[in-house]
Amino acid sequence: MIILVHTAYHEGNVSANLGQPEYSYYFVLREFRPMLEQLGIVIDIHEPVREVDVIYRNCLSHGMPCVFLSFMPPNKAPIGLACPTVPVFAWEYDNLPHEGFGGKPRNDWRRVLKHLGSAITHSSFTVETVKRMVDTTFPIIAAPAPLWDRLAAKKHSVRSPGSNAVRLRVDGIVIDSQFTDLSQYSKAKELACAPAPLPLPAERSEGVSELELDGIIYTAVFNPGDGRKNWVDMISAFCVAFAYNADATLLLKLSHHDISEVVPQMLECMHKGGDFACRIVIVHGYLRQDDYEHMVDATTYTVNTSHGEGQCLPLMEYMSSGKPAISPRHTAMLDYIDDSCAFVVDSFLEPGTWPHDMRQAFRTLREHVQVDSLIRAYRSSYYVAKQEPETYLAMSTAAVVSLQSYCSHAVVRPRLAKFLNAIIAQDPRQAESALPL
Amino acid sequence: MRILTYCDVNGSDILERLGTPEYSYHFVLEAFQVALSQFAQVQRIDKPTEADAIWRQCSDASETCLLLSFAPPHKTTLGLQCPTIPVFAWEYPNLPSGNDEESWLTDARNDWPQVLLKCGAAITLSTHTVRAVQDSLGNTYPIEAIPTPLWEKFSSYRMRGTLPPDRASVDICLKTRLVDSDLLGLSAENLVTSHPDDGTPSDPEADMLLPPLPPVDDNNWLVELDSLQQDTFTESAGISEGMPPIDTGWDIPPLFNVSTRLSGVVYTAVLTPSDGRKNWEDVITAFGWAFRDVPDATLVLKLGGPDQLKHHHQMLMLMSKLSPMKCRIIALHGYLDDADYGQLIGASTYYVNASLCEGLCMPLMEFLCCVPAIAPNHTSMVDYLQPEFAFMVDSTPNLPTVWPHGDHQVYKTSRHQINWHSLMLAYQQSYIVAKSDPPAYAAMSASAMADMEDYCAIDGIALRLQQFLESRLRDLNAKEAHMAPMALTS
């Protein structure tokens, strides 16, 4: 099978575009690539309109099965190709974009999907949304990024949480609430400086440095420019929950090309949190693979407070590595978060906008975590880490097992193979040209 | 017994202070005075310092005398000879402490527990506040939750009977500055945001390939109403005649007598948008979302407070983001006289509250004296809301926030987080009840009235006030009797 793949960014330009729309599709494709290579010959496409059908016609003449996977949202998937085109997309809202806003018919995803005839997404939640909005029989599967094997294969040191300090080597910016004068980030100072953001704190470290972490460590990896991530509640509730716990640390690993606006806002949020004893560390920069793994190892819990997730690669990575989560159970998390492997945070629906809708009109619903429930989840998880090591270990094991059934090769590969074969089989041109065995 | 009353606003400047905290204290004072008059001679004073002279006169005539100061503790005058009892509303779970805010350090009264100890007793409006005070000062601190007596105020609207919930429409005529969503030509398409174009391709020829699909219809919740007969009768809540509403776009229309017909189920909220805890955004967005395909649902917002134009623009933005919507939203900016306010109560099917915290919420109580409500069951509302007459909105405590009268820099307290979805569903459920089950609606109204009569009728309030104040006077006498022999022996 020839599998053509395309996405917006490639290895050479993705790091300069971290946080831009569609940047995360690069990372999704990177996780899929080894599996796709097991299923067929993978060819990277840079310009779909020029390249795909040329290869497709060559395949037809050689009787080679061929399919094109567009790792892009449906509004950006090519719609005029002869080759079967399967959009592989992430989505996390209560409905699909169903208006051709901005004068662009393709913004009505229902029409694009109906035309393309099949799709791959990453969660059962979005499979159901698509079937409800396009057609109950619409061919679509949930194929999460199959990253479990890569992480679970590593034997993570299962150590008692908070047992000893670790040192991480960071190449980038580190801002540590313990060494930062947060009074420089009051609302009054922020307003006085507006519209310019407040400067980054002088106490930050830049370049290569060593970060020492100990105690109970909560880690969240996210793109702060993505409004869905809801870091305000994550930070505020942490300050409240651990106002008197000096050995609780929230480690925020940011992925965005420009943090000069968002980091001062985060510091204002911490200032608002008052005199808290806990520690909050912002890390922005590159971690070498082994340092990244050390960060995962050092983590006690991974944290998510978002309004919705298409799948959430960082949460999946940490949980596959045996880290229980603090997370709501909604959207994609319905597939892998429950009480056995996470401190589940309650959430409710509120008005939302489709993220790429320039009007930002209220057309959908998103989830919002209950802050009270988040505070309780922080405190319960801290108690478990400190007082109930057996419970912690059981949750750690349950996290690995839960993610295995969500995103391991053994689960995703047969589902994906069967689906791609069915799409090829239903392409009349390929059925006609198939060479007799 | 002589009772002096004071609050930092009087009848003559009240219109200028619409929507300010002092404005509410003025109304609490006026309602309390009627109750106090049942057992005491009540005298309103313009300055707290006038109290001592009157107290001395009373003292000479062997008449007991107290000052009820209708103000928060940090605005209570201390050091008077006249015993002073603060009457205050408070909607947070803890009390301000003197060093909470930099700007408070210059006035020791910002330490509420100290003020309350010095006064020796206090009256507040809800048991929620009693809890907050006693958490700080112990369970023996003399403080009583006494709501504002409001039951009698709206008796004339009750006597006419509640308007039937399944009426097709109701006519009102109000002297107000009325903004009408139906006239604004609202459209999401004209919204200008900072959101960049995301580069979605557009090619008319290629786009022809896309199959046409019908618009999305997700109004399953309305199915059970389909079989019902449509109502046709129109009630009239008012008597006078005015001009129809006008559209003035980005400006608020001027003040004039406006006549308009409100369709179907009418929801009313009375609030001050600048007071963030009122959470008016949720009131609007949950209504607009719930009824975007329902032409006979109307939301009336009676708005007070400063920054009217800013809030008008904010409302235009919210409504544009919700549009197209078939339901109608009407905003009434500024003061309504008693007759017009009563008309509004008469025209309303339900009152709506989505606040993050309340010290009492007089508008909710006023409306509950006639109609059912949608509201969260937290803070002061726990004292009077019951599921028999309210669609309860889910909420959770411990949402960190700043002191309302502090420096607004650091979280010092908390309020409640409203579950928006629960509010949206409460709108839809209440609409179904009003349209399809008038007996159930009538039972809710009757239940609301019965409970509110128990809760805030004047005779009961007067009795509680009398008992509490007499008990305080006995405490004072005992204290003096205790002090006198001490003075002798020393």
Side-chain angles (χ1 to χ4, degrees):
Chain A
M1 184 193 306
I2 303 292
I3 303 172
L4 311 177
V5 296
H6 171 253
T7 190
Y9 297 106
H10 54 81
E11 201 176 343
N13 62 7
V14 73
S15 53
N17 289 289
L18 286 180
Q20 299 283 15
E22 287 105 41
Y23 87 99
S24 60
Y25 281 95
Y26 165 80
F27 294 99
V28 173
L29 174 55
R30 194 174 70 171
E31 295 292 352
F32 269 104
R33 191 178 294 273
M35 179 181 285
L36 295 174
E37 284 172 350
Q38 289 170 3
L39 297 177
I41 297 164
V42 177
I43 300 174
D44 280 298
I45 299 295
H46 298 290
E47 288 182 63
V49 176
R50 270 168 54 155
E51 299 168 42
V52 169
D53 279 352
V54 175
I55 301 172
Y56 172 65
R57 274 189 277 276
N58 278 329
C59 285
L60 282 180
S61 61
H62 290 88
M64 296 267 283
C66 178
V67 64
F68 171 47
L69 303 184
S70 167
F71 284 77
M72 292 285 269
N75 50 303
K76 293 190 177 173
I79 58 169
L81 300 177
C83 182
T85 302
V86 184
V88 183
F89 70 98
W91 190 243
E92 59 273 8
Y93 293 91
D94 183 60
N95 59 10
L96 294 182
H98 54 75
E99 293 173 21
F101 53 81
K104 295 175 178 176
R106 284 180 231 195
N107 279 327
D108 187 342
W109 284 17
R110 301 174 308 156
R111 298 180 66 191
V112 176
L113 293 176
K114 189 98 183 163
H115 167 69
L116 294 177
S118 69
I120 294 172
T121 184
H122 310 304
S123 73
S124 321
F125 173 79
T126 297
V127 166
E128 281 169 30
T129 306
V130 169
K131 285 183 182 283
R132 188 180 81 236
M133 296 204 62
V134 179
D135 183 347
T136 49
T137 62
F138 187 78
I140 179 167
I141 56 165
L147 53 75
W148 183 86
D149 302 71
R150 172 169 68 80
L151 292 144
K154 295 194 183 71
K155 277 292 157 224
H156 293 275
S157 55
V158 184
R159 41 184 214 129
S160 300
S163 53
N164 50 357
V166 290
R167 284 164 183 280
L168 301 182
R169 185 184 162 281
V170 181
D171 186 358
I173 299 176
V174 176
I175 295 165
D176 188 333
S177 67
Q178 282 186 327
F179 308 119
T180 304
D181 178 8
L182 291 175
S183 70
Q184 297 308 307
Y185 293 91
S186 66
K187 194 58 160 178
K189 292 199 162 119
E190 185 184 274
L191 290 174
C193 193
L198 287 163
L200 293 178
E203 303 92 336
R204 70 186 184 275
S205 73
E206 265 189 66
V208 179
S209 65
E210 218 172 51
L211 173 63
E212 187 170 332
L213 296 169
D214 57 6
I216 311 301
I217 298 163
Y218 295 81
T219 306
V221 179
F222 60 94
N223 161 21
D226 181 343
R228 289 173 305 144
K229 296 296 178 177
N230 185 26
W231 51 260
V232 172
D233 285 342
M234 186 189 293
I235 293 174
S236 309
F238 195 82
C239 296
V240 173
F242 299 125
Y244 306 106
N245 302 87
D247 64 343
T249 298
L250 178 61
L251 177 60
L252 306 173
K253 166 78 176 75
L254 308 185
S255 48
H256 196 275
H257 62 288
D258 182 6
I259 58 156
S260 60
E261 275 191 40
V262 75
V263 164
Q265 290 167 9
M266 288 177 164
L267 293 169
E268 193 278 322
C269 188
M270 290 179 212
H271 173 259
K272 209 167 238 158
D275 297 323
F276 51 85
C278 57
R279 179 185 181 199
I280 303 177
V281 182
I282 297 173
V283 171
H284 176 249
Y286 180 74
L287 291 180
R288 290 188 318 209
Q289 191 60 31
D290 56 335
D291 286 310
Y292 190 86
E293 283 165 18
H294 282 149
M295 183 170 79
V296 176
D297 271 352
T299 295
T300 319
Y301 296 106
T302 179
V303 186
N304 178 298
T305 57
S306 70
H307 296 303
E309 292 289 357
Q311 54 181 337
C312 196
L313 296 179
L315 192 57
M316 290 156 63
E317 284 183 339
Y318 275 75
M319 293 184 75
S320 295
S321 306
K323 302 301 173 181
I326 316 296
S327 169
R329 186 172 189 274
H330 59 54
T331 57
M333 278 88 90
L334 288 164
D335 285 339
Y336 59 90
I337 290 281
D338 64 27
D339 290 330
S340 74
C341 57
F343 292 86
V344 177
V345 179
D346 295 336
S347 61
F348 58 84
L349 289 168
E350 66 178 14
T353 58
W354 296 319
H356 56 295
D357 179 357
M358 285 165 67
R359 308 165 301 172
Q360 288 295 286
F362 294 132
R363 290 292 183 270
T364 190
L365 298 175
R366 66 179 193 182
E367 298 275 351
H368 198 123
V369 293
Q370 282 181 0
V371 171
D372 185 47
S373 172
L374 176 58
I375 293 169
R376 279 186 280 120
Y378 277 136
R379 286 180 178 156
S380 312
S381 62
Y382 178 86
Y383 179 84
V384 163
K386 300 273 281 193
Q387 307 293 339
E388 294 184 356
E390 304 80 16
T391 310
Y392 180 83
L393 281 181
M395 292 184 81
S396 167
T397 308
V400 177
V401 171
S402 174
L403 272 288
Q404 181 177 25
S405 62
Y406 177 59
C407 61
S408 64
H409 277 231
V411 169
V412 179
R413 188 179 149 178
R415 190 185 300 159
L416 183 61
K418 189 178 159 202
F419 189 70
L420 295 181
N421 284 325
I423 286 166
I424 291 162
Q426 276 164 26
D427 176 12
R429 277 175 287 224
Q430 298 201 51
E432 233 171 65
S433 71
L435 288 182
L437 287 171
Chain B
M1 188 192 303
R2 184 87 63 99
I3 295 175
L4 310 177
T5 60
Y6 167 76
C7 88
D8 182 29
V9 67
N10 55 48
S12 60
D13 63 357
I14 188 66
L15 283 183
E16 288 146 38
R17 305 181 71 168
L18 209 66
T20 65
E22 291 79 14
Y23 172 83
S24 304
Y25 276 110
H26 167 77
F27 281 99
V28 176
L29 179 147
E30 287 210 322
F32 266 65
Q33 282 203 150
V34 184
L36 295 166
S37 306
Q38 291 195 1
F39 62 90
Q41 188 192 338
V42 184
Q43 184 177 347
R44 185 167 181 174
I45 55 176
D46 290 333
K47 292 197 185 73
T49 45
E50 294 167 20
D52 279 354
I54 305 171
W55 178 79
R56 278 191 293 272
Q57 282 170 16
C58 292
S59 211
D60 293 345
S62 298
E63 187 188 2
T64 52
C65 177
L66 285 170
L67 168 63
L68 295 191
S69 164
F70 290 77
H74 64 280
K75 292 187 174 171
T76 303
T77 301
L78 295 176
L80 297 175
Q81 280 183 296
C82 180
T84 304
I85 295 182
V87 183
F88 69 102
W90 188 238
E91 55 271 22
Y92 298 91
N94 54 329
L95 301 185
S97 155
N99 51 10
D100 278 348
E101 309 280 4
E102 227 174 278
S103 66
W104 288 0
L105 298 173
T106 51
D107 188 342
R109 293 180 301 173
N110 284 308
D111 198 80
W112 281 27
Q114 289 307 315
V115 174
L116 294 175
L117 280 176
K118 281 188 178 130
C119 292
I123 293 172
T124 184
L125 307 181
S126 78
T127 53
H128 169 79
T129 316
V130 169
R131 187 72 268 136
V133 169
Q134 294 191 335
D135 280 351
S136 173
L137 297 175
N139 286 339
T140 56
Y141 182 82
I143 180 165
E144 178 116 347
I146 304 182
T148 314
L150 292 170
W151 169 250
E152 285 76 11
K153 193 173 164 192
F154 299 97
S155 54
S156 56
Y157 302 101
R158 275 194 300 279
M159 278 161 63
R160 197 188 56 191
T162 49
L163 296 176
D166 53 341
R167 66 186 184 234
S169 50
V170 55
D171 288 332
I172 55 168
C173 175
L174 307 170
K175 187 173 184 191
T176 185
R177 304 177 68 189
L178 186 147
V179 176
D180 182 352
S181 68
D182 276 359
L183 301 179
L184 293 169
L186 296 169
S187 165
E189 305 311 315
N190 302 330
L191 285 168
V192 180
T193 70
S194 57
H195 232 64
D197 185 291
D198 77 333
T200 295
S202 180
D203 169 0
E205 205 172 312
D207 292 342
M208 296 280 282
L209 294 167
L210 300 176
L213 283 175
V216 169
D217 173 23
D218 41 18
N219 288 308
N220 293 337
W221 69 279
L222 281 170
V223 165
E224 58 187 286
L225 292 182
D226 284 353
S227 56
L228 288 177
Q229 195 186 328
Q230 288 301 305
D231 303 295
T232 52
F233 65 98
T234 295
E235 294 275 343
S236 179
I239 39 166
S240 51
E241 287 278 322
M243 302 290 288
I246 57 169
D247 168 31
T248 48
W250 292 101
D251 294 324
I252 302 173
L255 183 70
F256 63 95
N257 280 317
V258 196
S259 279
T260 189
R261 177 166 290 186
L262 309 179
S263 303
V265 184
V266 179
Y267 296 84
T268 302
V270 178
L271 53 85
T272 302
S274 55
D275 184 347
R277 73 199 165 87
K278 292 294 179 179
N279 188 28
W280 78 315
E281 298 90 341
D282 279 4
V283 173
I284 294 172
T285 57
F287 175 84
W289 187 273
F291 301 128
R292 60 192 183 279
D293 294 316
V294 180
D296 66 343
T298 307
L299 175 64
V300 181
L301 297 166
K302 149 83 186 84
L303 305 176
D307 303 327
Q308 284 188 351
L309 196 60
K310 179 180 133 191
H311 295 119
H312 174 57
H313 293 168
Q314 193 185 348
M315 197 173 107
L316 291 180
M317 191 62 164
L318 284 173
M319 293 193 300
S320 299
K321 290 179 77 157
L322 286 161
S323 65
M325 55 176 186
K326 290 186 182 151
C327 55
R328 182 179 181 206
I329 300 179
I330 281 174
L332 314 174
H333 287 268
Y335 177 76
L336 278 189
D337 69 23
D338 281 354
D340 281 357
Y341 193 81
Q343 216 188 121
L344 198 55
I345 294 179
S348 301
T349 321
Y350 297 103
Y351 187 81
V352 190
N353 173 303
S355 291
L356 310 184
C357 53
E358 289 288 0
L360 184 66
C361 198
M362 285 196 283
L364 173 57
M365 286 169 61
E366 288 163 352
F367 275 73
L368 279 175
C369 289
C370 299
V371 298
I374 295 173
N377 191 24
H378 63 55
T379 57
S380 66
M381 295 179 283
V382 173
D383 287 353
Y384 56 91
L385 278 189
Q386 293 297 334
E388 287 74 26
F389 55 82
F391 294 87
M392 301 285 201
V393 178
D394 292 342
S395 68
T396 44
N398 295 324
L399 186 68
T401 191
V402 296
W403 286 134
H405 59 292
D407 300 340
H408 303 115
Q409 304 296 305
V410 176
Y411 294 139
K412 295 289 180 185
T413 187
S414 66
R415 46 194 186 180
H416 288 250
Q417 189 174 20
I418 292 292
N419 180 326
W420 181 91
H421 193 234
S422 160
L423 173 62
M424 196 278 287
L425 293 176
Y427 273 122
Q428 294 185 338
Q429 285 155 4
S430 61
Y431 176 89
I432 297 225
V433 167
K435 297 293 279 188
S436 68
D437 198 351
Y441 176 86
M444 289 186 86
S445 298
S447 171
M449 288 187 225
D451 271 40
M452 293 314 280
E453 184 173 13
D454 276 353
Y455 176 61
C456 63
I458 198 153
D459 290 350
I461 301 286
L463 186 64
R464 289 178 59 199
L465 279 169
Q466 183 176 8
Q467 286 169 348
F468 183 75
L469 295 177
E470 282 175 351
S471 167
R472 297 291 66 75
L473 289 168
R474 280 195 300 276
D475 288 351
L476 284 169
N477 281 336
K479 203 170 151 192
E480 274 170 25
H482 181 69
M483 296 292 281
M486 292 281 284
L488 280 177
T489 51
S490 67

